[in-house]
Amino acid sequence: MNFSEVFKLSNQLSRFSPNGKFLASCVQYRLVVRDVSTLQILQLYTCLDQIQYLEWSADSLFILCAMYKRGLVQVWSLEQPEWHCKIDEGSAGLVASCWSPDGRHILNTTEFHLRITVWSLCTKSVSYIKYPKACQQGITFTKDGRYMALAERRDCKDYISLFVCSDWQLLRHFDTDTQDLAGIEWAPNGCVLAAWDSCLEYKVLLYSLDGRLLSTYSAYEWSLGIKTIAWSPSSQFLAIGSYDEKVRILNHVTWKMITEFGHTATINNPKIVIYKEMEKSQNLEMENLPFPPTKAAASSLFNTESKYEVVSSPVSLQTLKPVTDRPNPKIGVGILAFSPDNCFLATRNDNIPNAVWIWDVQKLKLFVVLEHLAAVRSFQWNPQQARLAVCTGRSQVYLWSPAGCVSVQVPAEGDFQVLSLCWHRSGDSMALLSKDQLCLCYLESEGIK
């Protein structure tokens, strides 16, 4: 594995362009666009205030920069650097901004979710969508970009509206049997829309494109319910992560549960491979260090390297006792992700924060557990193959594939704490993001070494 030099960054705002040719990153109020292959700066744009959100258009020709504090959105063109666009929401304020799938319309959500404003870059026309609901995930587009689903709240009742993205005409409008709609998400094939209730009511509703209710699923009552959901890439499975520390898998034929995965703190099954992160012993001879020590020497002193070791069961994983008398307790399955080949499901149970669980979807059983020295912050599958990248806020990045797993030290000066990461679409590299720095990690194409 190879690493690039380190670049400055603000708010962990860095995104690869959808076509994979460019890397955009923000440094305070500046937007830097680099060539992915050479990392040379292609464009440098200056915004009116500190950038709080960044998003590429689907065709990689435009970049949206949102400044929520000022109620401003600035749009920059890669083809015509002198062209610029400023959208000011004025007294209505701004809490969210995103591209439509065609890359020529911008959807701005005003403060208090009073409305969504749809701005056209081509005709400069403006249209409004009323009653958007303030929830976990209120807008979702089909993968082909043809339809948008929007969660709404009017007259103290939840609704979903389906729009045609080409002309923003309303296709369907229907109410949902939810107490407090928490989110909506299309299946990858665009045929089914999943809607789920707040954590106080365990309920998942599945709708067809014409607004028909296909099925309703509830696992239990009178306890905290759904925390997160994830569709499989094939749209055959819907995984539901719950506060009871279980993942339930629904099938796409009957929408009934086919299995549930529990996350217990003790693993007794000898067939499950358990990788445990261990610190490497450092053999540093203090008397040979220069004084004052060089940056590289100081970095090696304080950055503890680590490695994975296979441990035999039974194994007791480190648990966190949740504070149950406060909102959003750290308990239950908080992160779910299917591998691109549909073979594996990775999960994190929030009260066993240091572990990543990898489930075999074909055999419907636990395959591997990775236990780390620090709490797992995020993980992401390689878009091209079953290879999982994990970060924990330490100076390592962790990679797992069915062939094995490895802990890799980021060779940056000082303490480069990897807080989040994102893969390039080719799967050959990824961006590692710390609090105020960014670097690229390149993988050998023949596999993990």
Side-chain angles (χ1 to χ4, degrees):
M1 291 176 68
N2 296 311
F3 292 85
S4 72
E5 61 181 295
V6 172
F7 304 107
K8 285 185 178 178
L9 187 69
S10 298
N11 299 328
Q12 297 176 47
L13 287 175
S14 181
R15 306 281 186 274
F16 287 110
S17 61
N19 65 8
K21 293 180 180 178
F22 311 110
L23 176 67
S25 58
C26 297
V27 184
Q28 300 295 334
Y29 53 87
R30 286 196 176 90
L31 171 66
V32 184
V33 180
R34 299 178 187 274
D35 184 299
V36 163
S37 55
T38 64
L39 295 182
Q40 295 297 310
I41 294 177
L42 298 176
Q43 298 294 343
L44 190 62
Y45 304 101
T46 303
C47 291
L48 295 169
D49 205 339
Q50 185 161 337
I51 303 165
Q52 292 172 274
Y53 179 71
L54 164 74
E55 188 179 327
W56 285 93
S57 62
D59 57 8
S60 304
L61 295 179
F62 296 95
I63 310 174
L64 171 159
C65 296
M67 289 141 276
Y68 297 137
K69 290 178 187 173
R70 293 271 293 264
L72 283 177
V73 170
Q74 285 186 270
V75 186
W76 305 98
S77 167
L78 248 67
E79 286 188 327
Q80 299 171 282
E82 67 281 355
W83 179 92
H84 62 275
C85 165
K86 183 180 82 169
I87 299 171
D88 190 345
E89 290 290 349
S91 58
L94 182 68
V95 294
S97 185
C98 69
W99 284 104
S100 68
D102 68 357
R104 297 298 177 270
H105 292 82
I106 290 169
L107 284 73
N108 283 346
T109 306
T110 60
E111 281 187 349
F112 309 112
H113 283 71
L114 296 176
R115 67 177 187 228
I116 290 176
T117 314
V118 183
W119 301 83
S120 170
L121 296 187
C122 301
T123 64
K124 298 183 182 177
S125 62
V126 182
S127 52
Y128 300 100
I129 302 172
K130 290 183 177 180
Y131 313 115
K133 182 175 169 66
C135 60
Q136 183 181 335
Q137 186 174 319
I139 298 178
T140 178
F141 296 97
T142 54
K143 203 171 182 180
D144 61 10
R146 293 177 64 189
Y147 304 107
M148 178 185 85
L150 176 70
E152 298 180 356
R153 183 82 173 179
R154 50 176 92 179
D155 302 324
C156 302
K157 191 162 175 56
D158 292 325
Y159 294 86
I160 292 175
S161 287
L162 305 181
F163 294 87
V164 181
C165 292
S166 57
D167 55 8
W168 302 106
Q169 291 298 308
L170 181 65
L171 181 70
R172 290 283 184 276
H173 174 72
F174 51 91
D175 62 348
T176 64
D177 184 22
T178 50
Q179 297 293 323
D180 183 10
L181 184 62
I184 52 177
E185 188 169 336
W186 287 106
N189 63 9
C191 295
V192 180
L193 177 70
W196 63 97
D197 216 326
S198 76
C199 61
L200 300 178
E201 180 96 8
Y202 198 118
K203 186 181 284 186
V204 177
L205 304 154
L206 296 143
Y207 294 96
S208 65
L209 193 54
D210 59 3
R212 284 181 300 116
L213 179 62
L214 300 173
S215 185
T216 302
Y217 176 75
S218 177
Y220 52 80
E221 290 184 296
W222 316 118
S223 187
L224 288 179
I226 297 165
K227 194 159 192 178
T228 185
I229 75 159
W231 285 100
S232 68
S234 64
S235 305
Q236 291 174 294
F237 304 111
L238 177 65
I240 306 168
S242 313
Y243 278 92
D244 69 346
E245 304 178 46
K246 291 181 181 177
V247 175
R248 293 169 176 85
I249 309 287
L250 307 188
N251 75 82
H252 74 299
V253 180
T254 62
W255 300 114
K256 298 286 191 290
M257 187 184 80
I258 53 174
T259 190
E260 65 179 27
F261 298 144
H263 297 71
T264 55
T266 304
I267 299 171
N268 293 312
N269 190 342
K271 292 182 179 178
I272 296 165
V273 182
I274 303 160
Y275 292 99
K276 190 175 178 69
E277 184 189 6
M278 306 281 194
E279 288 188 348
K280 283 185 183 176
S281 56
Q282 299 243 1
N283 298 319
L284 286 174
E285 296 181 14
M286 298 296 289
E287 62 271 14
N288 294 337
L289 282 176
F291 187 82
T294 61
K295 279 187 178 179
S299 173
S300 64
L301 266 176
F302 299 109
N303 282 347
T304 308
E305 293 191 18
S306 67
K307 61 180 179 179
Y308 280 119
E309 287 187 2
V310 178
V311 292
S312 53
S313 58
V315 172
S316 293
L317 303 172
Q318 191 173 338
T319 58
L320 188 73
K321 190 174 181 182
V323 182
T324 52
D325 60 347
R326 293 186 186 174
N328 304 314
K330 288 196 173 181
I331 187 170
V333 181
I335 309 179
L336 288 172
F338 280 94
S339 63
D341 60 3
N342 229 56
C343 291
F344 301 103
L345 172 68
T347 62
R348 187 196 71 191
N349 187 22
D350 292 351
N351 50 304
I352 310 179
N354 297 13
V356 176
W357 311 66
I358 298 171
W359 308 83
D360 188 321
V361 175
Q362 294 169 326
K363 297 178 181 176
L364 296 177
K365 63 181 185 180
L366 184 59
F367 187 52
V368 169
V369 176
L370 313 175
E371 191 182 18
H372 303 88
L373 293 167
V376 173
R377 285 179 169 265
S378 71
F379 51 72
Q380 198 177 84
W381 288 101
N382 184 315
Q384 300 298 328
Q385 58 180 294
R387 178 184 285 172
L388 186 72
V390 182
C391 64
T392 64
R394 286 166 58 93
S395 57
Q396 285 88 13
V397 60
Y398 309 93
L399 292 167
W400 174 87
S401 77
C405 60
V406 65
S407 163
V408 182
Q409 180 80 22
V410 180
E413 288 188 355
D415 193 12
F416 189 100
Q417 297 178 331
V418 186
L419 301 179
S420 61
L421 48 84
C422 59
W423 283 98
H424 186 268
R425 58 175 290 183
S426 68
D428 293 336
S429 62
M430 58 182 161
L432 307 178
L433 314 178
S434 76
K435 184 181 177 185
D436 49 15
Q437 290 180 317
L438 149 78
C439 86
L440 262 63
C441 168
Y442 300 95
L443 280 72
E444 289 87 353
S445 56
E446 62 267 21
I448 298 176
K449 292 198 172 180

